[in-house]
Amino acid sequence: MKTEAFRLEAEIKESIFERELRELQRLTDRVFGYLLVAQWFFGVGCAVIISPKTWEGMSSTTHTHVWAAIVVGGALVSLPLWLIWKFPGEPLTRWVVASAQVMFSGLLIHLMGGRIEAHFHVFGSLALLAFYRDAYVFLPAVALIFLDHLFRGLFWPESVFGVFTPSVWRAFEHAGWVLFETIFLLWGIHQGREHLRKLSQLQLSLMKERDSLEGRVQQRTSEVARARDYSEHVLDSLDAAICILDCEGKILSINHAWREFAESNGSGARSCFEFENFLHACDAAAEIQGKAVSDLAAAIRVVIEAQAETRVVEYPYHSGSKMRWFQARIAPFVGDDEAAVVVAHVDVTERVIATRSFVEQSRRATSLAQIIHESPNEVYIFSQADLRFEEVNQGACEATGYNRKELLRMTPVDLKSEFDSCTFRQHLEPLRQDQVSMLEFQTIHRRKGGETYPVQVKLNKSVFQGVPVYVAFVTDLTAVQQLEHQLSQAQKLESIGQLAAGVAHEINTPMQFIGSNIEFFQQSMPQVLHLVDQMREWLGKEAIDTEPESRLLALQELLDQKRYDFLREQIPAAIEDCAEGVQRVVEIVSAMKAFSHPGTQDKSMANLNEMLSSASIVSRNRWKFVAEMQLELDPQAPEVLCHPAELNQVWLNLIVNAADAIAENHPEGELGKIWLRSYFEQEQLVIECEDTGGGMPDSIVQRVFDPFFTTKDVGKGTGQGLAIAHDIVVNRHGGTFEVESTEGQGSLFRVCLPLSSDDADPADAESLVESKLA
Amino acid sequence: MLLFAWGSLVACSFAYLNNYNQTPGEIGSISAEASLPLRRPPAEKQWLLSMGIHPQCPCTRASLAELERLMVHLDRLVHTRVYVFKPSETDSSWLETPLMKKLYGVAGVEILLDQDGQIANQLGILTSGGVMLFDREGQLKFRGGLTSSRGHEGDSLGTQAIRELVYGRNPLQHHAPVYGCKIIAKREPLQ
């Protein structure tokens, strides 16, 4: 790498040397170009002055030297000049120049009469040729001189040596002096080239230094320029509108923001630019903008008069239909004799609006907090860390009977008898882990006096005064549950009312034949009594005295008369029919009684199969015309701890809905089918009601448990049946209520009840139902 | 090719110039009319060197330069007369030339005006710069020029021969070419 760098540096140095040498040779070419032309004119001048004419007696003609100077001199300069023009710096150019130069020496020697001084031109020319810094340039020059002398010495000695028989060494002598000079000139050229190389090295060093220096200078220049730009534009880049005033209030300088500020303020704009008096502008604007602007001017005057270090003035400014607020910071300007004060304007309209909005929001928040605080609904805010109440409202205090101070020392567990701290935390875990955004459940709260009341609790996470908390909105369900109970009862009565006609019909049938039988009894009983009376009479003392045969005949006659055989046969049957009819009525009445019973708050063990049978009986009149009822009840099904009255309503709803579905979707005269099943599975008692009605699309299945949702015609249903049934199964018994429906085929409602609903968690059951529905 | 053409042109030009410079002028012979006083040196000198010049001839400047060099060494033995050609119809301005100034600067030279070139004609000096060397008896020992070419200073056969003769040695030649302007247009017979 280093070697490569050295090689590269050597190449650059050689390149610089070659370039400089070539430049020097080009310069020397130009010098010789001028010199050759000058010599040409000089030669002509010499010829004209020294030998203008040649004479013959009195007559004269132009001397041949004049023509020779013109022609030969012209010939000598022609090619060199052309080469210098076309090929400056080329070796051929300088070789031709060298040749021409030494031949010029010969010409000038001729023209100057062979003066010994003229011969110095040769040596001068050689010295000049050394300017080329090229040893080879002497080759043509020295060769020409030497060959000229040698040739003429050999063949024309008198022309150069003035004698006929000169020694041949004279040519070498002449050439020797030339060579003598040439040697020194060659040494000089070598020195010159070395010097040039050193200069190249120096230039290279200078270039490197220059590059480095230029880089530093450029960097520094850039930094200085950037710093200057920063300083020039820093004011312009600020959002604040800044102007600098002198002690009279005249504007000395403004920034870009001020210019925009002035231009955006319309009529007063011209008064807010440089060299205008800002104080006068404020005074003038005060008439329109009001006292605030004059206060600004007054503040500026106070600062100018050094009565205050810095003043901050906030004032409104009417800009067209808009109101804008500005904060003006007036500070003394330090460091300049002329400038006195700096006025920086900041548009604080947004801040003012935000502040006002904040105040308004704060007021609203305070009001809202007050409303919440005074709300009769209970609101509890308790810490996520230790569950201790952070804040409670008046509703909570009133509902629990504790005062605020007492509640703030308590935790929700203290109010919920069925929770301890551990179970309550487990209950909150889904909310804590953000698995749900809100936790909703029903529980029992205990008042200060120990009285309990049902509540609906909605819990969500929040932050109260920087503390992570849970916020509980608690609703007392006492009234709601009462209403629900009443509503349920009403709905039950509604169902019963709907069934009343059918029930009456069901009761009417047995009652009719009971009545007929009683009528039969009424008609036959006198005969039976008469028969009995007659027989008792015959059994008396007087009858004993009669003949047995006559008595038998009389008896037979009486039996025949009273159609005893008929009575004997019909009366037991009638009694049996009556008994059966009464039994049926009793069943119906019992079922009705069971259905119409408002129930109790406490659960009791009940046989669901019997309940299902009762339901089928009570509702018989609703389904017997459209469907066949098939009961597939598991006789091994255990009794269940439940609210029987409420569950009866569920079964009744299911059967009536199934019958209605079949009635809507089956053609006249064709019976559908309803299955009522019960079976025991996985510690649960499962009750299914399946029908062959039309089924439901998914959109309806999703909503069947919604309150007031119904697909029946107006007047036929309230939409409360399945909603209440769902509530009974899920919330009251901790069971599940599922629907499977295939459109066009039928529906299956499946109720799963835990054997002991006390063990089930209603909330879990609800979430299970919701998940299944989803 | 261009270089060759240029070289050839320059070479030819120089050849022509050389040829011009090396073309000698005419040398005449001494007329019988030339009197002895014209040919004998004064008594105190052993030799008489007579030179004829055309005062306007630029080439003769070299001859005078050579004469001056000769005089440095031979002045003690040689009496030198220079006949300056002056046509009758010219005035004194004819002689106001650089050559005459040069001539006046040459010490030990007797300058004589040669009206219409009569004496030069008698002596046979037809070309400016031509010289005749006579001994004490008026015998012609050398005739010719003092330059090796036209207007070219430097060693020449003429100066070499004269030096040899004056110093009593035998020169290689008793004559030498003379280079210069013609003093008179054509040879005029002596009266």
Side-chain angles (χ1 to χ4, degrees):
Chain A
M1 198 64 182
K2 211 167 182 178
T3 310
E4 181 66 17
F6 283 138
R7 190 185 64 78
L8 187 63
E9 186 175 327
E11 284 181 0
I12 295 173
K13 189 176 77 174
E14 189 63 22
S15 169
I16 294 171
F17 169 73
E18 290 293 339
R19 190 184 67 223
E20 293 297 320
L21 180 62
R22 193 175 178 83
E23 188 57 36
L24 182 66
Q25 287 168 344
R26 283 178 176 174
L27 175 65
T28 309
D29 276 341
R30 288 199 295 276
V31 169
F32 269 105
Y34 294 126
L35 180 64
L36 286 170
V37 173
Q39 287 176 152
W40 184 22
F41 286 108
F42 179 73
V44 174
C46 284
V48 169
I49 293 170
I50 296 172
S51 51
K53 293 178 180 178
T54 182
W55 290 79
E56 190 170 339
M58 288 287 289
S59 61
S60 64
T61 58
T62 300
H63 200 285
T64 301
H65 279 188
V66 175
W67 296 118
I70 295 171
V71 174
V72 179
L76 282 177
V77 301
S78 59
L79 183 64
L81 286 183
W82 184 79
L83 289 172
I84 289 167
W85 177 43
K86 288 292 184 184
F87 307 103
E90 294 295 325
L92 179 64
T93 302
R94 53 182 175 269
W95 293 343
V96 171
V97 166
S99 304
Q101 183 63 25
V102 294
M103 285 192 279
F104 244 112
S105 296
L107 178 63
L108 290 176
I109 290 169
H110 274 299
L111 297 178
M112 298 179 74
R115 289 166 59 86
I116 193 71
E117 293 84 355
H119 287 76
F120 290 114
H121 186 274
V122 175
F123 299 101
S125 296
L126 291 173
L128 287 175
L129 289 175
F131 290 176
Y132 276 119
R133 304 282 202 281
D134 180 11
Y136 296 106
V137 82
F138 291 111
L139 272 179
V142 175
L144 271 174
I145 294 169
F146 179 71
L147 290 175
D148 174 66
H149 281 74
L150 183 64
F151 179 78
R152 289 203 290 170
L154 288 174
F155 302 105
W156 205 352
E158 67 276 16
S159 69
V160 60
F161 303 121
V163 294
F164 284 115
T165 56
S167 167
V168 70
W169 292 109
R170 290 202 64 180
F172 286 99
E173 181 188 352
H174 283 219
W177 286 112
V178 171
L179 285 173
F180 176 74
E181 183 192 3
T182 303
I183 287 167
F184 285 97
L185 290 175
L186 287 174
W187 179 79
I189 285 173
H190 173 72
Q191 292 294 321
R193 288 175 75 98
E194 287 302 310
H195 181 63
L196 197 57
R197 282 188 193 282
K198 288 178 180 174
L199 285 177
S200 301
Q201 176 66 52
L202 187 60
Q203 188 173 354
L204 177 62
S205 302
L206 287 172
M207 284 169 63
K208 286 160 67 177
E209 182 64 22
R210 181 200 62 193
D211 291 345
S212 171
L213 187 62
E214 278 185 357
R216 291 202 300 272
V217 167
Q218 282 181 353
Q219 183 182 358
R220 184 60 188 150
T221 304
S222 173
E223 289 172 359
V224 169
R226 198 158 54 240
R228 190 171 61 243
D229 287 345
Y230 287 160
S231 60
E232 284 179 356
H233 297 300
V234 66
L235 286 179
D236 284 344
S237 63
L238 293 175
D239 290 335
I242 298 172
C243 75
I244 300 171
L245 309 179
D246 67 2
C247 58
E248 299 294 329
K250 190 174 73 176
I251 297 174
L252 298 176
S253 177
I254 61 176
N255 72 341
H256 182 69
W258 182 279
R259 192 176 299 282
E260 289 186 340
F261 163 70
E263 288 172 353
S264 65
N265 285 331
S267 59
R270 280 178 298 175
S271 303
C272 293
F273 290 129
E274 290 99 328
F275 312 119
E276 299 295 337
N277 194 301
F278 183 65
L279 292 177
H280 294 170
C282 287
D283 292 340
E287 297 175 4
I288 303 170
Q289 300 291 343
K291 184 173 173 295
V293 178
S294 62
D295 288 345
L296 171 64
I300 293 172
R301 288 191 173 97
V302 167
V303 175
I304 289 174
E305 291 165 6
Q307 294 179 8
E309 276 297 311
T310 300
R311 282 287 181 95
V312 178
V313 176
E314 211 166 278
Y315 66 94
Y317 193 90
H318 297 278
S319 177
S321 60
K322 294 181 180 175
M323 166 80 86
R324 295 169 66 190
W325 281 83
F326 291 98
Q327 185 190 71
R329 188 179 183 84
I330 305 131
F333 190 94
V334 181
D336 189 87
D337 295 336
E338 191 178 4
V341 65
V342 180
V343 181
H345 270 75
V346 179
D347 190 337
V348 293
T349 308
E350 289 183 5
R351 195 204 70 195
V352 169
I353 291 172
T355 303
R356 289 181 172 184
S357 173
F358 176 74
V359 170
E360 181 65 23
Q361 286 178 359
S362 297
R363 200 154 49 223
R364 285 171 60 85
T366 304
S367 300
L368 189 61
Q370 184 67 22
I371 290 169
I372 292 173
H373 182 68
E374 295 173 353
S375 169
N377 286 332
E378 303 164 53
V379 178
Y380 302 88
I381 300 172
F382 56 98
S383 167
Q384 291 184 21
D386 56 7
L387 302 180
R388 193 169 295 281
F389 287 127
E390 296 285 339
E391 189 56 80
V392 295
N393 72 341
Q394 283 185 3
C397 295
E398 289 169 2
T400 58
Y402 295 101
N403 61 33
R404 181 172 173 275
K405 195 175 286 183
E406 289 171 331
L407 279 174
L408 293 184
R409 291 196 295 267
M410 299 167 66
T411 68
V413 178
D414 298 328
L415 297 178
K416 294 173 174 62
S417 55
E418 73 269 41
F419 286 109
D420 57 21
S421 179
C422 184
T423 55
F424 190 62
R425 283 186 183 278
Q426 287 177 355
H427 192 64
L428 297 179
E429 199 62 12
L431 182 62
R432 191 183 69 78
Q433 294 182 354
D434 293 325
Q435 293 172 354
V436 293
S437 60
M438 187 182 74
L439 204 58
E440 186 172 357
F441 59 94
Q442 293 181 0
T443 184
I444 304 296
H445 269 195
R446 186 174 55 223
R447 292 193 172 92
K448 188 175 182 180
E451 182 190 356
T452 60
Y453 61 103
V455 292
Q456 174 80 17
V457 180
K458 289 186 177 178
L459 266 177
N460 65 287
K461 286 204 303 187
S462 185
V463 176
F464 179 71
Q465 294 180 341
V467 178
V469 294
Y470 294 110
V471 180
F473 295 89
V474 176
T475 306
D476 188 346
L477 292 180
T478 306
V480 174
Q481 285 188 351
Q482 287 173 356
L483 285 174
E484 281 181 353
H485 184 69
Q486 290 171 6
L487 181 63
S488 175
Q489 190 64 20
Q491 207 277 336
K492 195 189 299 177
L493 292 175
E494 176 202 336
S495 303
I496 293 169
Q498 288 177 355
L499 295 170
V503 170
H505 180 76
E506 290 300 314
I507 294 175
N508 187 51
T509 303
M511 287 305 290
Q512 276 183 345
F513 65 76
I514 289 172
S516 299
N517 286 334
I518 289 174
E519 189 178 348
F520 170 70
F521 287 143
Q522 283 177 338
Q523 291 173 359
S524 56
M525 280 309 292
Q527 294 180 41
V528 172
L529 290 175
H530 183 260
L531 183 60
V532 172
D533 289 341
Q534 191 62 47
M535 287 184 73
R536 191 172 65 179
E537 186 179 335
W538 287 343
L539 291 175
K541 196 171 181 179
E542 298 84 3
I544 295 171
D545 297 335
T546 60
E547 289 293 330
E549 287 83 2
S550 60
R551 284 197 303 236
L552 285 174
L553 287 173
L555 182 61
Q556 186 63 45
E557 184 181 354
L558 185 60
L559 290 175
D560 291 342
Q561 184 186 353
K562 297 300 177 182
R563 297 188 299 170
Y564 177 77
D565 293 337
F566 172 74
L567 292 176
R568 177 67 180 85
E569 181 182 353
Q570 290 299 321
I571 285 174
I575 290 171
E576 191 175 342
D577 281 351
C578 284
E580 183 184 345
V582 168
Q583 181 61 35
R584 284 180 61 184
V585 170
V586 168
E587 286 179 356
I588 292 169
V589 170
S590 298
M592 285 295 288
K593 186 182 176 186
F595 272 89
S596 60
H597 192 278
T600 61
Q601 288 294 326
D602 298 327
K603 293 179 180 175
S604 59
M605 298 301 290
N607 188 324
L608 290 190
N609 287 344
E610 292 176 359
M611 294 167 69
L612 291 170
S613 297
S614 297
S616 67
I617 291 168
V618 169
S619 60
R620 177 180 167 77
N621 203 49
R622 291 293 295 268
W623 52 261
K624 69 178 182 184
F625 300 109
V626 296
E628 294 176 359
M629 174 71 76
Q630 184 167 342
L631 297 177
E632 298 176 358
L633 305 176
D634 183 1
Q636 304 300 322
E639 290 188 336
V640 174
L641 187 63
C642 61
H643 298 283
E646 295 178 1
L647 286 180
N648 273 330
Q649 191 177 354
V650 174
W651 316 140
L652 189 62
N653 261 310
L654 292 178
I655 295 169
V656 168
N657 283 345
D660 289 345
I662 292 169
E664 286 178 8
N665 293 282
H666 273 263
E668 197 73 32
E670 185 179 334
L671 293 179
K673 198 157 189 177
I674 298 173
W675 290 272
L676 270 181
R677 302 188 190 94
S678 67
Y679 56 91
F680 182 66
E681 183 181 85
Q682 293 181 352
E683 300 299 318
Q684 293 186 114
L685 195 58
V686 181
I687 294 91
E688 290 181 348
C689 178
E690 185 177 2
D691 64 67
T692 57
M696 295 175 287
D698 286 345
S699 58
I700 292 178
V701 169
Q702 295 291 330
R703 300 184 60 193
V704 288
F705 297 121
D706 290 353
F708 305 106
F709 177 78
T710 179
T711 58
K712 297 177 182 176
D713 295 336
V714 177
K716 288 191 173 180
T718 61
Q720 288 281 40
L722 283 177
I724 291 173
H726 182 269
D727 181 61
I728 290 167
V729 172
V730 174
N731 293 331
R732 299 281 289 169
H733 292 86
T736 61
F737 206 151
E738 301 171 17
V739 182
E740 293 175 8
S741 183
T742 306
E743 195 171 5
Q745 293 184 9
S747 302
L748 169 65
F749 288 82
R750 180 180 298 113
V751 174
C752 300
L753 292 173
L755 289 185
S756 173
S757 59
D758 286 343
D759 298 336
D761 188 340
D764 288 345
E766 182 181 24
S767 62
L768 180 61
V769 172
E770 285 174 351
S771 66
K772 288 187 176 181
L773 284 175
Chain B
M1 191 66 185
L2 186 66
L3 195 63
F4 179 75
W6 177 75
S8 301
L9 174 64
V10 172
C12 290
S13 300
F14 270 101
Y16 173 79
L17 186 59
N18 258 328
N19 184 57
Y20 171 76
N21 286 340
Q22 293 293 321
T23 302
E26 189 180 357
I27 300 174
S29 55
I30 298 174
S31 168
E33 297 169 356
S35 60
L36 189 60
L38 286 177
R39 293 183 279 125
R40 291 182 66 175
E44 67 275 16
K45 300 290 176 70
Q46 294 179 7
W47 298 88
L48 173 64
L49 181 68
S50 298
M51 172 185 276
I53 65 169
H54 191 299
Q56 304 290 340
C57 178
C59 314
T60 308
R61 185 181 181 84
S63 299
L64 287 182
E66 291 304 317
L67 176 64
E68 193 174 14
R69 290 195 188 94
L70 274 178
M71 290 304 293
V72 172
H73 302 287
L74 306 179
D75 181 47
R76 188 172 53 85
L77 299 173
V78 178
H79 181 76
T80 304
R81 288 177 185 153
V82 177
Y83 298 98
V84 179
F85 170 68
K86 182 178 182 306
S88 302
E89 57 271 30
T90 61
D91 55 15
S92 59
S93 63
W94 174 259
L95 300 174
E96 294 174 357
T97 64
L99 187 67
M100 289 306 295
K101 286 182 183 175
K102 172 86 176 169
L103 178 60
Y104 294 145
V106 180
V109 175
E110 182 183 9
I111 301 170
L112 299 170
L113 286 179
D114 183 13
Q115 201 71 29
D116 293 328
Q118 290 180 5
I119 296 173
N121 205 9
Q122 289 174 14
L123 293 174
I125 303 173
L126 305 179
T127 301
S128 179
V131 298
M132 297 285 180
L133 181 66
F134 299 98
D135 61 8
R136 187 182 295 273
E137 281 76 33
Q139 294 294 317
L140 179 65
K141 292 297 183 183
F142 175 81
R143 60 177 180 175
L146 300 179
T147 61
S148 58
S149 62
R150 190 160 185 152
H152 200 106
E153 294 181 21
D155 289 344
S156 67
L157 293 173
T159 55
Q160 189 178 16
I162 289 169
R163 201 175 285 118
E164 297 290 327
L165 285 167
V166 170
Y167 287 134
R169 294 190 289 265
N170 223 7
L172 289 172
Q173 296 181 80
H174 291 273
H175 59 86
V178 59
Y179 302 98
C181 303
K182 286 185 177 178
I183 295 176
I184 52 178
K186 59 180 181 179
R187 176 76 182 265
E188 294 171 3
L190 294 173
Q191 298 296 322

Short mmCIF file of all heavy atoms in Angstrom, two decimals, chain A residues 10 34 47 64 103 133 166 264 283 298 302 333 343-345 396 399 411 415 422 447 449 488 565 666 693 733:
data_model
loop_
_atom_site.label_atom_id
_atom_site.label_comp_id
_atom_site.label_asym_id
_atom_site.label_seq_id
_atom_site.Cartn_x
_atom_site.Cartn_y
_atom_site.Cartn_z
N ALA A 10 5.33 9.34 -7.13
CA ALA A 10 6.40 9.51 -8.13
C ALA A 10 5.80 9.80 -9.49
O ALA A 10 6.31 10.66 -10.24
CB ALA A 10 7.26 8.26 -8.18
N TYR A 34 9.68 34.66 -31.27
CA TYR A 34 9.91 36.12 -31.30
C TYR A 34 11.36 36.42 -31.71
O TYR A 34 11.64 37.34 -32.48
CB TYR A 34 9.62 36.73 -29.93
CG TYR A 34 8.17 36.64 -29.54
CD1 TYR A 34 7.77 36.07 -28.34
CD2 TYR A 34 7.18 37.15 -30.39
CE1 TYR A 34 6.44 36.00 -27.98
CE2 TYR A 34 5.84 37.08 -30.02
CZ TYR A 34 5.47 36.50 -28.83
OH TYR A 34 4.16 36.43 -28.48
N ALA A 47 21.74 44.19 -43.02
CA ALA A 47 22.07 44.19 -44.44
C ALA A 47 21.82 45.57 -45.04
O ALA A 47 22.63 46.08 -45.83
CB ALA A 47 21.22 43.14 -45.17
N THR A 64 23.28 42.03 -52.60
CA THR A 64 22.75 40.66 -52.48
C THR A 64 22.47 40.31 -51.02
O THR A 64 21.55 39.54 -50.72
CB THR A 64 23.75 39.67 -53.08
OG1 THR A 64 23.95 40.03 -54.44
CG2 THR A 64 23.23 38.24 -52.99
N MET A 103 21.63 28.43 -37.95
CA MET A 103 21.81 28.90 -39.32
C MET A 103 21.64 30.42 -39.39
O MET A 103 22.24 31.08 -40.23
CB MET A 103 20.80 28.20 -40.24
CG MET A 103 21.22 26.75 -40.53
SD MET A 103 20.30 25.98 -41.84
CE MET A 103 18.84 25.49 -40.99
N ARG A 133 15.92 23.01 -21.85
CA ARG A 133 16.16 21.94 -20.88
C ARG A 133 16.10 20.57 -21.56
O ARG A 133 15.59 19.60 -20.99
CB ARG A 133 15.12 21.96 -19.75
CG ARG A 133 15.03 23.25 -19.02
CD ARG A 133 16.18 23.42 -18.02
NE ARG A 133 15.85 24.38 -17.00
CZ ARG A 133 15.90 25.70 -17.15
NH1 ARG A 133 16.31 26.21 -18.30
NH2 ARG A 133 15.58 26.49 -16.16
N PRO A 166 44.04 24.49 -44.80
CA PRO A 166 43.97 24.51 -43.33
C PRO A 166 44.10 23.10 -42.76
O PRO A 166 43.82 22.14 -43.44
CB PRO A 166 42.57 25.06 -43.07
CG PRO A 166 41.78 24.59 -44.25
CD PRO A 166 42.69 24.58 -45.42
N SER A 264 -49.67 40.61 8.14
CA SER A 264 -50.95 39.95 8.41
C SER A 264 -51.90 40.85 9.18
O SER A 264 -53.07 40.53 9.33
CB SER A 264 -50.72 38.65 9.20
OG SER A 264 -50.21 38.97 10.47
N ASP A 283 -49.81 53.67 19.59
CA ASP A 283 -50.73 54.72 20.05
C ASP A 283 -51.89 54.86 19.08
O ASP A 283 -53.04 55.02 19.50
CB ASP A 283 -49.97 56.05 20.17
CG ASP A 283 -48.95 55.99 21.30
OD1 ASP A 283 -49.11 55.12 22.19
OD2 ASP A 283 -47.99 56.78 21.28
N ALA A 298 -46.92 51.59 26.63
CA ALA A 298 -46.47 52.11 27.92
C ALA A 298 -45.36 51.23 28.50
O ALA A 298 -44.37 51.71 29.04
CB ALA A 298 -47.65 52.18 28.89
N VAL A 302 -41.53 52.22 29.43
CA VAL A 302 -40.97 51.98 30.76
C VAL A 302 -39.62 51.28 30.65
O VAL A 302 -38.64 51.66 31.30
CB VAL A 302 -41.95 51.12 31.60
CG1 VAL A 302 -41.25 50.59 32.85
CG2 VAL A 302 -43.16 51.94 31.98
N PHE A 333 -32.09 46.20 25.11
CA PHE A 333 -31.09 45.68 24.18
C PHE A 333 -29.72 46.11 24.67
O PHE A 333 -29.43 47.29 24.82
CB PHE A 333 -31.36 46.24 22.78
CG PHE A 333 -30.54 45.57 21.72
CD1 PHE A 333 -31.06 44.50 21.01
CD2 PHE A 333 -29.24 45.97 21.45
CE1 PHE A 333 -30.31 43.87 20.04
CE2 PHE A 333 -28.48 45.34 20.50
CZ PHE A 333 -29.03 44.29 19.78
N VAL A 343 -38.41 43.91 21.27
CA VAL A 343 -39.81 43.51 21.51
C VAL A 343 -40.04 42.19 20.77
O VAL A 343 -39.89 42.12 19.56
CB VAL A 343 -40.78 44.58 20.99
CG1 VAL A 343 -42.21 44.14 21.27
CG2 VAL A 343 -40.50 45.91 21.66
N ALA A 344 -40.34 41.17 21.53
CA ALA A 344 -40.58 39.85 20.93
C ALA A 344 -42.05 39.50 21.12
O ALA A 344 -42.55 39.46 22.25
CB ALA A 344 -39.70 38.80 21.59
N HIS A 345 -42.71 39.29 19.98
CA HIS A 345 -44.13 38.95 20.02
C HIS A 345 -44.30 37.46 19.77
O HIS A 345 -43.70 36.92 18.86
CB HIS A 345 -44.89 39.70 18.91
CG HIS A 345 -45.41 41.03 19.37
ND1 HIS A 345 -44.59 42.12 19.54
CD2 HIS A 345 -46.66 41.43 19.69
CE1 HIS A 345 -45.31 43.14 19.94
NE2 HIS A 345 -46.58 42.76 20.04
N ALA A 396 -72.28 5.38 47.63
CA ALA A 396 -71.67 4.22 48.30
C ALA A 396 -71.87 4.32 49.81
O ALA A 396 -72.17 3.33 50.48
CB ALA A 396 -70.19 4.16 47.95
N ALA A 399 -75.51 3.67 50.59
CA ALA A 399 -75.92 2.29 50.38
C ALA A 399 -75.36 1.37 51.44
O ALA A 399 -76.03 0.45 51.91
CB ALA A 399 -75.48 1.83 48.99
N THR A 411 -61.80 -2.41 52.30
CA THR A 411 -61.59 -2.92 50.94
C THR A 411 -62.91 -3.51 50.46
O THR A 411 -63.83 -3.73 51.25
CB THR A 411 -60.51 -4.02 50.92
OG1 THR A 411 -61.02 -5.15 51.61
CG2 THR A 411 -59.22 -3.56 51.57
N LEU A 415 -67.04 -5.65 51.99
CA LEU A 415 -68.44 -5.46 51.65
C LEU A 415 -69.05 -6.71 51.03
O LEU A 415 -70.27 -6.83 50.93
CB LEU A 415 -68.59 -4.30 50.65
CG LEU A 415 -68.16 -2.92 51.15
CD1 LEU A 415 -68.32 -1.89 50.05
CD2 LEU A 415 -68.98 -2.51 52.37
N CYS A 422 -58.21 -13.27 48.65
CA CYS A 422 -57.59 -14.12 47.64
C CYS A 422 -58.56 -14.39 46.49
O CYS A 422 -58.22 -14.22 45.32
CB CYS A 422 -57.14 -15.42 48.30
SG CYS A 422 -56.26 -16.50 47.15
N ARG A 447 -74.34 -4.44 54.24
CA ARG A 447 -74.36 -3.10 54.82
C ARG A 447 -73.71 -3.11 56.20
O ARG A 447 -73.36 -4.16 56.74
CB ARG A 447 -75.80 -2.58 54.91
CG ARG A 447 -76.45 -2.32 53.57
CD ARG A 447 -77.74 -1.53 53.70
NE ARG A 447 -78.23 -1.14 52.40
CZ ARG A 447 -79.09 -1.82 51.66
NH1 ARG A 447 -79.57 -2.97 52.13
NH2 ARG A 447 -79.49 -1.38 50.49
N GLY A 449 -74.97 -2.64 58.99
CA GLY A 449 -75.77 -3.35 59.97
C GLY A 449 -75.84 -4.84 59.71
O GLY A 449 -76.53 -5.55 60.44
N SER A 488 -91.14 -11.38 35.62
CA SER A 488 -91.15 -12.80 35.35
C SER A 488 -92.52 -13.39 35.68
O SER A 488 -93.05 -14.19 34.93
CB SER A 488 -90.07 -13.48 36.19
OG SER A 488 -90.15 -14.86 36.03
N ASP A 565 -128.96 -54.35 36.02
CA ASP A 565 -127.73 -54.81 35.32
C ASP A 565 -127.03 -53.65 34.61
O ASP A 565 -125.78 -53.54 34.63
CB ASP A 565 -128.11 -55.90 34.30
CG ASP A 565 -128.60 -57.17 34.99
OD1 ASP A 565 -128.23 -57.37 36.18
OD2 ASP A 565 -129.31 -57.95 34.36
N HIS A 666 -95.57 -25.83 9.32
CA HIS A 666 -96.11 -27.08 8.83
C HIS A 666 -97.43 -26.83 8.12
O HIS A 666 -98.22 -25.99 8.56
CB HIS A 666 -96.33 -28.07 9.98
CG HIS A 666 -95.10 -28.87 10.27
ND1 HIS A 666 -94.91 -30.14 9.77
CD2 HIS A 666 -94.00 -28.60 10.99
CE1 HIS A 666 -93.76 -30.61 10.18
NE2 HIS A 666 -93.17 -29.67 10.92
N GLY A 693 -89.84 -27.60 13.65
CA GLY A 693 -90.30 -26.35 13.05
C GLY A 693 -89.34 -25.89 11.97
O GLY A 693 -88.44 -26.62 11.55
N HIS A 733 -79.64 -20.15 38.10
CA HIS A 733 -79.25 -21.54 38.39
C HIS A 733 -77.82 -21.87 38.00
O HIS A 733 -77.37 -23.00 38.21
CB HIS A 733 -80.21 -22.51 37.68
CG HIS A 733 -81.59 -22.48 38.22
ND1 HIS A 733 -82.55 -21.57 37.79
CD2 HIS A 733 -82.20 -23.22 39.20
CE1 HIS A 733 -83.68 -21.76 38.45
NE2 HIS A 733 -83.49 -22.76 39.33
#
